[in-house]
Amino acid sequence: MLPALLYPALPDAKTIARKENERRILDAKCFSMHHRARDFSKLLPGEEVWVTDAKASESVVASYFTPRSYLVNTPQGTIRSNRYHLIPMQTAVEGSDSPTYAQSSTPVQEQSPVAQQLPMNDIPELLATSRTRSGRVNQKPTRLDL
């Protein structure tokens, strides 16, 4: 055996870090393509949306503190819903006889006002009566207080 092979050398840390970073980016890109991941536009308070879970048209109250979540007014009360289940409603373009429609929300790049985010202490008041999709009231269990 050659004596030069008995002295191991550490690989270049910068090269390894660069290759690992490139691999992570490629893995994330392939995962997103495989799972049809996409970015949704932000919703503004008061905007009309179609709630796919409830199969009804409702209005957005505010953005929730968790990512991609919004508070939505429904006849049963205010619910938190993920952006994936909220489809912005289309409004008819005025001054036109043909039934052309324009999206009520503008693309993300053109939106200058930031969606209203409620303070943490206002959210429990809106969600005081949380309900399931069937309408049953969710009751929090009473905790043992010693």
Side-chain angles (χ1 to χ4, degrees):
M1 186 170 264
L2 295 174
L5 296 176
L6 296 176
Y7 300 106
L10 292 176
D12 184 30
K14 290 181 182 179
T15 305
I16 290 176
R18 183 181 49 81
K19 286 182 181 180
E20 286 179 350
N21 192 23
E22 289 173 359
R23 184 65 191 174
R24 276 193 212 105
I25 291 171
L26 183 64
D27 286 346
K29 180 181 172 187
C30 290
F31 180 90
S32 295
M33 283 177 32
H34 180 76
H35 294 281
R36 286 181 51 194
R38 60 183 180 200
D39 291 329
F40 291 108
S41 62
K42 301 279 185 199
L43 296 176
L44 300 175
E47 190 171 349
E48 291 293 317
V49 293
W50 178 260
V51 182
T52 57
D53 302 16
K55 296 183 177 122
S57 173
E58 310 297 347
S59 65
V60 174
V61 176
S63 64
Y64 202 61
F65 63 90
T66 55
R68 298 176 301 279
S69 295
Y70 293 88
L71 294 175
V72 180
N73 272 340
T74 63
Q76 293 82 22
T78 303
I79 62 168
R80 184 196 62 83
S81 185
N82 193 296
R83 175 63 177 89
Y84 179 79
H85 299 288
L86 302 175
I87 301 170
M89 297 292 288
Q90 296 180 346
T91 57
V93 177
E94 294 182 19
S96 173
D97 294 335
S98 64
T100 56
Y101 293 94
Q103 286 251 341
S104 62
S105 65
T106 57
V108 177
Q109 294 84 7
E110 295 178 13
Q111 289 182 357
S112 57
V114 177
Q116 173 189 3
Q117 186 159 355
L118 295 177
M120 291 291 290
N121 45 350
D122 289 348
I123 292 172
E125 296 171 6
L126 291 171
L127 298 175
T129 58
S130 68
R131 298 178 180 269
T132 61
R133 288 191 296 178
S134 64
R136 185 181 62 82
V137 175
N138 287 336
Q139 293 181 350
K140 301 288 181 194
T142 55
R143 303 288 182 196
L144 181 61
D145 188 20
L146 297 177

